[in-house]
Amino acid sequence: MALQPPRKVYALGAEFQTAGELFRAAEKVRDAGFKRWDVHSPFPIHGMDKAMGMGKSWLSAPVLIGGTSGFFFAMILTLVPSTVLYPVVVHGKPTSFFTTPAFFPIMFELTVLFSAFTTVFALLIFSQLPKWYHPLFNWERFSRVTDNGFFLVIEARDPKFSESKTREFLEGLGGQHVTLVHD
Amino acid sequence: MSQEIPKPKAEIFDLRRVGNLPLLLTVLSAIGLIVSAIGAIVPSLRVQFAHSWLFAFFYFFTLGAGSLFWILVHHATDAEWSVVVRRVLENVAALLPKIFLAVVPVLLCAPILYHWWNIAPGVDELIDKKHNYLNTPFFLIRAAIYFGVFTFLATTLKRLSVKQDTDGSPRHTISLRRLTFPGIALFAVCLTFAAIDWLMSLDYKWVSTMWGVYIFAGAAGSSMSLLVLLVTWLRKLGYMSYVTEEHYHIMGKLMLAFCVFWAYIGFSQYMLIWYADIPEETRYFIRRNIGTWNYLSTILVAFRFFIPFPILLMQPLKKKPVWICSVAALLVTMQALDLYIIVMPMLHKTGYSLAALPFDVAALLAIGGPLALLFLKGLGKQSLVPVRDPRLELSLKLTN
């Protein structure tokens, strides 16, 4: 740690022994009104989203937009050429709007494709990925998060954050190795 | 996570809580039976009666068969969420042997319903080629097989589940699961061939290999909707307070799945026939788009798929009983319209006929009324929830 030059404070981190301790601590941090904070554990903990006070994910909104644009894109892509630009009678089918059933598979596929793409890319944007570096990696103990460490981190940009008071608060929750993490 | 969920005690349905409903149902069934009997006796009305009765019978048959399907899937997948609502499904599926009583008039009227019945060999080459399948003895034998399979599955699944209420042995859960693996296959085969026998053979010249799946998709979706309605009704009477919005959410998801699946199968069947444009195949859809049938077909597509789909897509609405019940009621009604459009254009070839209406309503009442009465009577004979199912606790504290 001594090698780290003095930089901006990123967050205060605390370590917990078990998933249950982390869960109860998360509930208390949520009730204390913190907004910019996160928990890290080696495995998913059921009910943690509720314990952290997280609402429904917003991911469905971009997916809906992606899906509908895929649908309309396919409609334009199929109907404009076959009814306006090149109205050729194929298989005795009409060259009007009523030829739509033939293009349903294309509309369906493009809806699915666009939805899938927006899901993947919106997810990456929402989780700020890809990124090569995260300030928490400056904290040596944090490497235990892939093994047996349970961490709770309150970021410095949280309006309620104060170095001394938040430290006391985390220690009061039973957090060990409460450490100031620099950027 | 912290609060304890109370374990439900055996809740026994009390018929007195529903007030005059049994009396009303008795009167309605009596009216339905009398009008249907008039239709059956008067020779000029018999054809109309036969078609109305077939439509009503198959409607209730699909609701019962769909409920059976959900129990089979529940046990086969070792599902947790559905434990709290399983007994309601079991009670609906247990009506299947009684629903099969209603097939007797269909079989008696078969010569006027199914045109292939009376065609002598040598008249139509097509019917000669299909003779090995479409002949009277085999038709009746198959009906008996469907009756046997559906009765065996429905009663065994319910019997073992009720037995577990008293002895609490997890052995029953395992034997139920073992039963469902062959059970699902038997169910699929019997529902497919029942749909082919009783509906598709109304026009022996027409074939569709998707027919069984199409009927199954409608049956599964509408019986899930029926389950939502029944559970909400029981909750209104003060029972089943342990069914939470999470359970509604899952039931809504399954309704959405089968709403889409029905549209997918229905459209696939339509598009292949429309695109190939072969007269023997297109006759089905041409017949159902003549005159006023066209309006009813359009209504079916709109209200069976386009209206419920966006509503069911929204998560908050699936958790609100008012919304999910409105959609469920719509889907249960649309299942009736679906079967109506399958059966009735075979008789009224130029368009919907008002002459059919009294007999349609009468047949629905004559079959639905007694079934509802039997359902109410059967509901009170055991607990409303499988109280000693090993997965009950997990089902109670379900979170999506």
Side-chain angles (χ1 to χ4, degrees):
Chain A
M1 298 293 274
L3 290 172
Q4 296 292 334
R7 281 201 219 138
K8 228 177 103 194
V9 173
Y10 170 69
L12 259 175
E15 190 181 344
F16 292 85
Q17 289 302 309
T18 62
E21 275 179 44
L22 184 65
F23 190 92
R24 282 184 286 279
E27 285 179 326
K28 292 212 179 89
V29 176
R30 171 197 68 192
D31 294 341
F34 287 97
K35 295 281 171 246
R36 299 283 184 175
W37 61 288
D38 208 348
V39 292
H40 304 268
S41 60
F43 48 81
I45 302 170
H46 278 286
M48 186 51 102
D49 49 344
K50 277 209 178 110
M52 287 178 70
M54 289 165 81
K56 189 182 159 293
S57 159
W58 276 98
L59 189 61
S60 51
V63 177
L64 180 69
I65 294 166
T68 24
S69 45
F71 177 76
F72 285 112
F73 182 58
M75 256 182 117
I76 294 164
L77 204 65
T78 54
L79 285 177
V80 171
S82 57
T83 64
V84 184
L85 297 177
Y86 308 101
V88 178
V89 176
V90 181
H91 269 215
K93 299 292 178 284
T95 55
S96 66
F97 174 75
F98 291 98
T99 188
T100 311
F103 303 126
F104 263 32
I106 297 161
M107 293 173 193
F108 172 76
E109 294 300 343
L110 275 195
T111 310
V112 173
L113 185 74
F114 275 47
S115 306
F117 274 142
T118 33
T119 312
V120 172
F121 290 113
L123 183 72
L124 289 179
I125 293 166
F126 278 17
S127 34
Q128 296 163 14
L129 287 171
K131 66 164 80 173
W132 308 113
Y133 160 81
H134 195 278
L136 277 175
F137 295 148
N138 293 334
W139 186 16
E140 265 170 56
R141 288 199 72 86
F142 192 73
S143 60
R144 285 155 53 85
V145 77
T146 57
D147 179 12
N148 60 353
F150 299 88
F151 295 91
L152 196 155
V153 178
I154 299 179
E155 291 178 30
R157 58 189 170 137
D158 191 291
K160 293 191 75 176
F161 183 86
S162 103
E163 242 181 83
S164 53
K165 274 188 195 157
T166 310
R167 180 184 287 272
E168 273 169 40
F169 176 65
L170 284 172
E171 273 164 357
L173 292 178
Q176 290 162 329
H177 310 289
V178 179
T179 313
L180 202 60
V181 184
H182 292 272
D183 219 350
Chain B
M1 198 173 190
S2 50
Q3 84 245 23
E4 281 298 306
I5 294 146
K7 207 168 179 174
K9 287 186 218 88
E11 264 188 337
I12 307 288
F13 176 76
D14 188 358
L15 203 52
R16 277 168 297 181
R17 282 218 206 167
V18 294
N20 287 328
L21 187 62
L23 184 70
L24 179 73
L25 284 172
T26 317
V27 173
L28 287 176
S29 338
I31 296 172
L33 282 166
I34 289 166
V35 177
S36 295
I38 293 171
I41 292 163
V42 180
S44 60
L45 297 173
R46 199 172 290 153
V47 185
Q48 178 58 56
F49 157 77
H51 283 83
S52 297
W53 192 271
L54 174 64
F55 145 69
F57 156 71
F58 214 88
Y59 175 54
F60 291 107
F61 171 65
T62 50
L63 290 177
S67 303
L68 179 63
F69 164 75
W70 289 114
I71 311 170
L72 287 168
V73 170
H74 166 93
H75 288 300
T77 58
D78 202 12
E80 283 153 14
W81 76 270
S82 53
V83 174
V84 292
V85 293
R86 202 182 73 217
R87 192 49 58 74
V88 179
L89 283 171
E90 283 166 356
N91 276 309
V92 179
L95 295 173
L96 272 169
K98 287 119 190 171
I99 293 172
F100 267 89
L101 277 181
V103 86
V104 175
V106 173
L107 297 180
L108 290 175
C109 293
I112 54 175
L113 272 172
Y114 303 108
H115 296 292
W116 54 267
W117 202 278
N118 299 318
I119 297 176
V123 176
D124 186 344
E125 200 190 337
L126 191 61
I127 197 72
D128 289 348
K129 289 215 162 121
K130 292 184 179 181
H131 186 74
N132 286 336
Y133 186 80
L134 288 182
N135 60 67
T136 311
F138 193 26
F139 186 86
L140 297 176
I141 290 169
R142 285 196 304 266
I145 292 172
Y146 309 147
F147 171 73
V149 168
F150 282 112
T151 306
F152 169 73
L153 286 176
T155 48
T156 316
L157 288 172
K158 190 182 171 194
R159 188 170 50 82
L160 288 180
S161 164
V162 171
K163 215 169 157 194
Q164 198 175 43
D165 279 5
T166 46
D167 62 12
S169 164
R171 236 171 244 283
H172 296 308
T173 304
I174 302 200
S175 35
L176 279 166
R177 194 184 314 156
R178 289 216 178 107
L179 173 67
T180 52
F181 298 141
I184 285 179
L186 280 172
F187 170 86
V189 170
C190 283
L191 186 68
T192 304
F193 282 99
I196 289 173
D197 278 7
W198 294 333
L199 294 183
M200 201 165 97
S201 80
L202 279 169
D203 181 357
Y204 67 89
K205 286 183 181 164
W206 182 73
V207 284
S208 162
T209 47
M210 273 170 156
W211 189 246
V213 190
Y214 178 73
I215 294 296
F216 160 72
S222 54
S223 56
M224 185 44 73
S225 309
L226 181 71
L227 174 68
V228 169
L229 292 177
L230 287 174
V231 166
T232 315
W233 174 69
L234 283 166
R235 276 169 60 85
K236 265 213 161 138
L237 290 176
Y239 300 105
M240 301 186 88
S241 51
Y242 37 79
V243 174
T244 62
E245 60 176 26
E246 301 288 329
H247 297 103
Y248 273 104
H249 187 187
I250 291 197
M251 292 193 277
K253 282 195 255 188
L254 289 169
M255 277 164 65
L256 172 67
F258 275 87
C259 170
V260 177
F261 185 59
W262 176 87
Y264 177 76
I265 294 299
F267 175 73
S268 301
Q269 180 176 268
Y270 174 78
M271 196 196 71
L272 291 176
I273 290 174
W274 174 79
Y275 208 80
D277 209 7
I278 297 168
E280 293 96 83
E281 291 180 343
T282 49
R283 52 190 282 138
Y284 176 87
F285 287 109
I286 289 171
R287 179 164 274 170
R288 278 150 190 86
N289 282 290
I290 287 172
T292 37
W293 291 124
N294 178 252
Y295 300 128
L296 289 176
S297 294
T298 313
I299 288 172
L300 177 69
V301 175
F303 286 86
R304 185 79 190 255
F305 176 68
F306 285 103
I307 307 279
F309 176 67
I311 301 174
L312 288 173
L313 210 52
M314 283 180 267
Q315 197 195 85
L317 298 189
K318 275 183 282 207
K319 293 182 172 180
K320 288 197 182 75
V322 182
W323 278 92
I324 197 81
C325 281
S326 318
V327 177
L330 179 71
L331 288 178
V332 170
T333 320
M334 283 304 120
Q335 169 71 2
L337 180 63
D338 190 7
L339 291 169
Y340 194 78
I341 292 175
I342 289 167
V343 174
M344 215 49 81
M346 297 307 297
L347 178 63
H348 300 292
K349 296 191 168 73
T350 51
Y352 175 75
S353 160
L354 263 181
L357 186 65
F359 293 101
D360 299 334
V361 177
L364 282 174
L365 290 177
I367 303 176
L371 284 177
L373 278 171
L374 287 165
F375 175 76
L376 287 176
K377 230 179 109 196
L379 205 55
K381 288 202 176 136
Q382 65 283 309
S383 166
L384 278 174
V385 60
V387 269
R388 293 180 74 181
D389 190 294
R391 295 157 297 186
L392 179 60
E393 209 149 334
L394 288 165
S395 179
L396 287 172
K397 57 179 183 189
L398 169 82
T399 46
N400 273 300

